Amino acid sequence: MLNQQTKQAVKEWSESLAGLGPILTGEDTVTPMSEVRDAYTRMLAKNPAPSGVSFIEVDMGGVPGTLVTPDNLETDAIVMYIHGGAYIVGEPAGYHGIGGNYASMLGARVYMPDYRLAPEYPFPTPVTDTVRAYEWLIEQGFDASKIVLAGESAGGAMVVTVMVAARNKGLPLPAGGVSISPWANLEHTGVSMTNREGLDPLNTKAGLDFLARTFLGDALPNHPMASPVFADVTGLPPVLVQIGENELMLSDAMRLATHLGDNRVRVNLEVWPGMFHAWHFFSTLQPEAVQALESSVVFMKQALRDAAK
């Protein structure tokens, strides 16, 4: 299913974080965390933005961010894209590819908040920053019914978490959300954590357990604002969950979709056979990446139409 170029790119993605563990455990006291984060950003930035989009830095109510604007602006709708990286690495500079693709495919502006990262800023700071960025959009006068959220991995979980927090704060809710490869259950109890071990080219259960503990600090992994499978999701707008069938997170992503559906949230679940974590990044290499992006854009457009009624 995966071509050789994609396999090589995924291998480089995995290797870009090889130095993270020794730094977090204290085994490496020389290399600064910034060096690993910069390497991660450079690796993701190899996934190019499409032509016809521009990027500027913005202040989202005290949270740094990046605004992506397509040359062909077709709508006043907005996407807030929430990056992943286990709440430990990642920044908008590495996400020009997927952010640019959404801007181009929707003809819409895309805002990408640059939330603070663990372990310097453990839970709940990354979540709090992202909620603040959404609140800022509302304060700017943007109609919530014209906003859609999207994100991958930790950002995929925060798509739902931000909605829950916004509802709890009495903020108007967005039209919908796209949750890509969500890291939705930090207890890691899904059966795929075992039976996809070795098939997932990017993650191991031991590695995810370690990253979760680094992010959580003193919080429990079943905290509803860290693991949305435990959150009260009643009243949320429609959500699309997209997950690769080879992912360790498969079962927990399916559990998130079931949890949403059980609580009367309209939910679409797409399981993509043979795909890996956040395969959407590799739109210039893998046909399924383009297809998944296109499917999520169809969902976004429908959610925006429904919210406008």
Side-chain angles (χ1 to χ4, degrees):
M1 286 206 185
L2 303 186
N3 60 51
Q4 285 304 122
Q5 286 180 298
T6 301
K7 289 179 180 178
Q8 180 60 34
V10 172
K11 182 173 181 288
E12 291 176 8
W13 185 5
S14 178
E15 290 173 349
S16 72
L17 290 176
L20 182 61
I23 294 173
L24 293 174
T25 60
E27 180 183 346
D28 180 353
T29 60
V30 177
T31 306
M33 179 67 81
S34 60
E35 187 171 312
V36 172
R37 288 176 175 150
D38 289 347
Y40 186 78
T41 295
R42 287 194 301 272
M43 179 280 307
L44 279 186
K46 292 180 181 179
N47 302 309
S51 60
V53 294
S54 59
F55 301 85
I56 61 170
E57 294 183 359
V58 293
D59 183 334
M60 302 181 72
V63 179
T66 296
L67 168 60
V68 192
T69 304
D71 292 347
N72 295 323
L73 190 63
E74 300 174 5
T75 176
D76 58 353
I78 288 170
V79 179
M80 187 172 90
Y81 188 86
I82 310 168
H83 74 77
Y87 306 94
I88 296 170
V89 296
E91 59 180 321
Y95 290 78
H96 285 193
I98 193 166
N101 277 325
Y102 275 132
S104 179
M105 295 168 80
L106 277 162
R109 294 182 179 91
V110 176
Y111 285 85
M112 299 190 290
D114 188 11
Y115 55 86
R116 289 171 290 177
L117 299 170
E120 299 94 327
Y121 299 98
F123 176 81
T125 299
V127 176
T128 302
D129 283 357
T130 308
V131 173
R132 174 59 193 143
Y134 175 74
E135 185 176 37
W136 176 82
L137 290 175
I138 302 301
E139 291 171 355
Q140 301 316 293
F142 294 122
D143 187 337
S145 68
K146 295 183 178 181
I147 300 173
V148 287
L149 307 184
E152 102 290 341
S153 195
M158 280 201 280
V159 164
V160 176
T161 302
V162 168
M163 291 179 180
V164 171
R167 182 204 61 202
N168 292 348
K169 293 185 72 170
L171 297 173
L173 295 179
V178 174
S179 179
I180 298 168
S181 297
W183 195 22
N185 176 14
L186 301 193
E187 286 193 333
H188 301 145
T189 51
V191 66
S192 59
M193 286 286 168
T194 301
N195 66 21
R196 261 59 175 186
E197 186 83 64
L199 291 178
D200 188 325
L202 288 165
N203 295 301
T204 66
K205 184 178 183 300
L208 289 174
D209 287 342
F210 177 69
L211 294 173
R213 180 44 51 201
T214 300
F215 162 59
L216 287 166
D218 294 330
L220 293 176
N222 65 353
H223 193 293
M225 298 306 286
S227 297
V229 296
F230 300 107
D232 172 8
V233 295
T234 54
L236 298 192
V239 176
L240 167 65
V241 177
Q242 294 181 313
I243 186 76
E245 175 264 326
N246 276 2
E247 296 194 53
L248 293 184
M249 298 175 188
L250 170 66
S251 298
D252 289 326
M254 294 171 70
R255 177 176 170 179
L256 175 63
T258 299
H259 180 56
L260 290 163
D262 279 345
N263 286 278
R264 297 180 174 175
V265 177
R266 201 182 90 204
V267 60
N268 291 17
L269 171 65
E270 294 181 359
V271 178
W272 288 71
M275 289 299 104
F276 54 92
H277 193 64
W279 69 100
H280 303 56
F281 292 153
F282 300 97
S283 59
T284 60
L285 302 178
Q286 192 70 32
E288 289 89 345
V290 177
Q291 293 161 11
L293 286 168
E294 291 173 342
S295 180
S296 65
V297 167
V298 168
F299 177 88
M300 289 179 183
K301 288 181 176 179
Q302 185 62 56
L304 289 163
R305 284 194 294 267
D306 290 347
K309 292 178 181 178

